[in-house]
Amino acid sequence: MIPDLLDIATLRAGFAAGAFTPGELVDEVYDRIEAYRDPAVFIALRPRAAARDEAMAADPSLPLAGLPFAVKDNIDVAGMPTTAGCPAFAYMPARDAAVVARLRAAGAVPIGKTNLDQFATGLNGTRSPHGAPRCVFDERYISGGSSSGSAVAVAAGLAVFSLGTDTAGSGRVPASFNNLVGLKPTRGLLPASGVVPACRSLDCVSVFANAAADAATVLAAAQGVDAEDPYSRAPETVALPARPRVGILGAAERIGGNEAGYAALYARSCAVAEGLGWTLVEIDDAPFRAAASLLYEDAFVAERLSALRGFFAQSPEAFDPAVRAILERARGFDAADLFDAQARLMGLRRQAGAELAKVDALLLPTAPEIFTVAAMLEAPIALNAALGRYTNFVNLLDMAAVAVPAGFRADGLPFGVSLIGPAFSDAGLLALGDALHRAGSPGCGVSRRAAPGALAMPEAARISIVVAGAHLSGMALNHELTALGARLEETTTTAPDYRLYALATAPAKPGLVRAPGFAGAGIAVERWSLTAEGFGRFVAGVPGPMTIGQVTLADGRRFAGFLCEPAALEGAREITGFGGWRAYLAAA
């Protein structure tokens, strides 16, 4: 039997055990879509048979083999119209967007295009001619946007995961309102080629999933540079500690800036974080809120017009009234205004940086409150602006974020928090978010069942250093390495063309030098590794005549390591024949 909660680990286990096939999973998903009470979730579906055939043909060894996913309708899927929520704008793409193509190459199967706030302009989900998808827990309330249909599809069990976009919070606010994980990766980590731009320099493809582990799997399958997206970036790793310092709202802001039920749940999330051993640090969120206001209230909004200028001039009547009002306002800014706005942003980045220096990541409410559909339609601009209080600044400050479920109000509506960190801290944020999600125990999606497969904290990226003398294990200066958390990776030898000298220093030190053309037996060395921070601190303390350069090992690999300045060899005794510093000392 196919489970109600569609998480990757359980489904792959079901495939492997023969409990059901990928084709049967696709049929189940289509049956659920046909029976679901909200017709506004999908704009278009692929033919069931085509999706089933693709799922059955997937190589089972692939990480996403046979798993059906939904795609926001501003992202191209070959053979399906891309409308961006505006039928008059629709076009038929000849090929998949880069991110869709990569997911299909990993075995995943797109099943349809989901509803959205038109041209991804909004955080509420009501700005669409196809209707307003509703919160899966109460149809009177908004689903959040702009990736409204993508969030509801996963929360309601209509897709295993989905793609959204996130310029101002569109991949996080709907996650919060539907009890999901919403990953807004580092800008450019998921390429945006084949995506209708909202604000091209800030746009991110985002991921909705039932668990952080699922979002991490999708990210790994689709990330990386694409030649057609000039903003795309290669993966890097910025490590976060397993017990981080997290910035939280001050007490006054926590009480006064959030709807009453959400305020209590935010306080609870902070307590859960503290219980995990995290250190809570109150921050001044004023510079973040000021940066957030720039996105819609200043010249940055003009970028929303740049991609649509010709179509907007030709067919203004095709636009949702709220979207049209935003683009009309964008016409009022010129290039000089944009430069002024950029200057203001740089000042706010500096102020925000002072707060970020106190912490490893931020822990904030994803949204300060949730509104009914009726209330949103009465005040579409003002209420939409309120939803971006804690999300709008993230892309402007080049940060990554993950939204996770964090409990339910007394009336049954969900609440979520976001962990926000520096660019390329995505893996660390997902692991921290997963720990917080599981400790808070609100489950996933409408089922509220906990997903299996906890996500481990990624190990910090480490840098190797080759040592040949007093820093060898058990020797006098080895403690300088171990005090910085260094780890012995291997004992080996250098390439044959190295010589070793006992330098005329007090105390005696070895000097390792490369001698091209020399054919020796290699010098005994050890390779240790440190975190980037530890490596920097260690290298900063290296005294002359020692230097750090590239050392080639016997198998040809090259790593940073100890060498010595040529001038130090004057009066030094060559001890290459001993094969290493330890052997030399033992013979002395």
Side-chain angles (χ1 to χ4, degrees):
M1 180 177 178
I2 295 172
D4 55 347
L5 180 68
L6 301 181
D7 69 279
I8 292 174
T10 299
L11 295 174
R12 287 184 61 83
F15 292 159
F20 48 86
T21 67
E24 289 170 336
L25 174 60
V26 168
D27 278 333
E28 171 69 16
V29 163
Y30 274 78
D31 288 346
R32 292 183 187 183
I33 293 170
E34 291 172 2
Y36 191 61
R37 66 182 185 274
D38 187 349
V41 177
F42 283 89
I43 291 176
L45 288 171
R46 290 180 70 197
R48 181 193 289 242
R52 185 196 305 115
D53 290 347
E54 185 173 340
M56 291 300 292
D59 180 346
S61 67
L62 295 172
L64 299 172
L67 300 180
F69 72 103
V71 181
K72 185 176 181 179
D73 195 24
N74 61 341
I75 303 173
D76 289 346
V77 174
M80 299 193 74
T82 299
T83 75
C86 179
F89 176 80
Y91 64 91
M92 185 67 74
R95 55 180 175 163
D96 293 329
V99 66
V100 173
R102 291 176 182 181
L103 293 172
R104 292 179 94 161
V109 181
I111 57 169
K113 308 295 289 294
T114 54
N115 205 352
L116 70 158
D117 280 321
Q118 191 179 71
F119 294 110
T121 302
L123 290 174
N124 62 85
T126 68
R127 299 172 177 175
S128 170
H130 302 284
R134 308 303 177 101
C135 170
V136 296
F137 296 97
D138 190 330
E139 64 183 14
R140 295 172 300 171
Y141 284 83
I142 60 174
S143 62
S146 60
S147 308
S148 52
S150 287
V152 173
V154 177
L158 313 180
V160 179
F161 66 90
S162 65
L163 297 180
T165 59
D166 189 319
T167 303
S170 296
R172 291 162 281 158
V173 171
S176 176
F177 292 168
N178 293 282
N179 202 42
L180 293 176
V181 171
L183 171 65
K184 188 221 74 70
T186 297
R187 273 184 352 208
L189 194 52
L190 290 178
S193 43
V195 178
V196 177
C199 294
R200 192 186 300 270
S201 67
L202 301 175
D203 292 341
C204 294
V205 175
S206 65
V207 180
F208 293 99
N210 281 303
D214 288 8
T217 300
V218 174
L219 179 65
Q223 67 184 344
V225 172
D226 180 71
E228 296 185 18
D229 177 9
Y231 292 101
S232 63
R233 298 154 88 174
E236 298 180 25
T237 299
V238 171
L240 297 174
R243 294 188 174 183
R245 302 165 300 156
V246 292
I248 63 170
L249 300 175
E253 167 66 11
R254 205 181 315 173
I255 296 170
N258 298 278
E259 185 274 335
Y262 277 8
L265 288 166
Y266 179 59
R268 176 179 178 272
S269 292
C270 292
V272 171
E274 199 164 27
L276 290 170
W278 303 3
T279 301
L280 307 185
V281 181
E282 289 192 359
I283 60 159
D284 176 8
D285 75 324
F288 301 98
R289 285 190 283 113
S293 70
L294 293 177
L295 196 57
Y296 278 101
E297 299 172 22
D298 213 315
F300 287 99
V301 75
E303 192 172 15
R304 287 194 177 268
L305 179 60
S306 66
L308 300 171
R309 188 179 313 183
F311 181 68
F312 186 60
Q314 178 183 353
S315 305
E317 73 287 349
F319 287 75
D320 174 89
V323 177
R324 184 166 62 245
I326 291 167
L327 296 180
E328 287 285 5
R329 190 167 71 248
R331 283 175 159 175
F333 295 101
D334 61 20
D337 294 326
L338 179 58
F339 281 110
D340 289 342
Q342 287 176 334
R344 285 190 289 275
L345 177 60
M346 293 305 293
L348 291 169
R349 279 183 174 175
R350 182 167 296 176
Q351 295 174 39
E355 297 301 307
L356 293 171
K358 304 173 185 176
V359 299
D360 302 299
L362 302 176
L363 173 59
L364 302 179
T366 300
E369 51 193 319
I370 186 171
F371 303 109
T372 64
V373 172
M376 181 59 65
L377 293 176
E378 288 181 7
I381 301 297
L383 296 190
N384 187 85
L387 295 176
R389 183 183 185 95
Y390 304 119
T391 59
N392 284 2
F393 70 85
V394 175
N395 282 339
L396 286 168
L397 299 184
D398 195 16
M399 303 182 78
V402 59
V404 296
F408 289 83
R409 300 190 323 193
D411 61 3
L413 289 172
F415 171 70
V417 293
S418 289
L419 283 157
I420 304 166
F424 300 108
S425 64
D426 310 76
L429 291 174
L430 282 166
L432 293 172
D434 186 61
L436 192 66
H437 181 187
R438 292 172 185 281
S441 300
C444 308
V446 73
S447 74
R448 304 197 192 188
R449 286 184 49 241
L455 187 61
M457 190 71 187
E459 183 181 23
R462 301 180 73 86
I463 301 175
S464 290
I465 187 163
V466 176
V467 300
H471 289 95
L472 292 165
S473 54
M475 304 203 74
L477 298 183
N478 182 250
H479 67 90
E480 293 182 356
L481 282 170
T482 57
L484 293 172
R487 181 174 69 203
L488 178 61
E489 300 292 351
E490 62 178 317
T491 297
T492 184
T493 61
T494 68
D497 55 349
Y498 280 86
R499 295 178 184 268
L500 190 68
Y501 294 84
L503 305 180
T505 57
K509 298 178 182 178
L512 183 68
V513 295
R514 191 167 196 180
F518 177 71
I523 304 300
V525 293
E526 292 176 350
R527 181 172 68 86
W528 291 71
S529 69
L530 303 101
T531 64
E533 178 186 6
F535 181 84
R537 290 172 60 187
F538 180 72
V539 169
V542 171
M546 306 283 71
T547 64
I548 300 296
Q550 289 289 308
V551 175
T552 303
L553 301 183
D555 60 5
R557 290 174 297 153
R558 303 184 72 205
F559 299 100
F562 276 90
L563 297 170
C564 76
E565 298 171 357
L569 299 180
E570 185 175 348
R573 174 189 174 188
E574 183 171 359
I575 57 172
T576 303
F578 290 92
W581 184 244
R582 198 188 300 276
Y584 166 72
L585 293 180

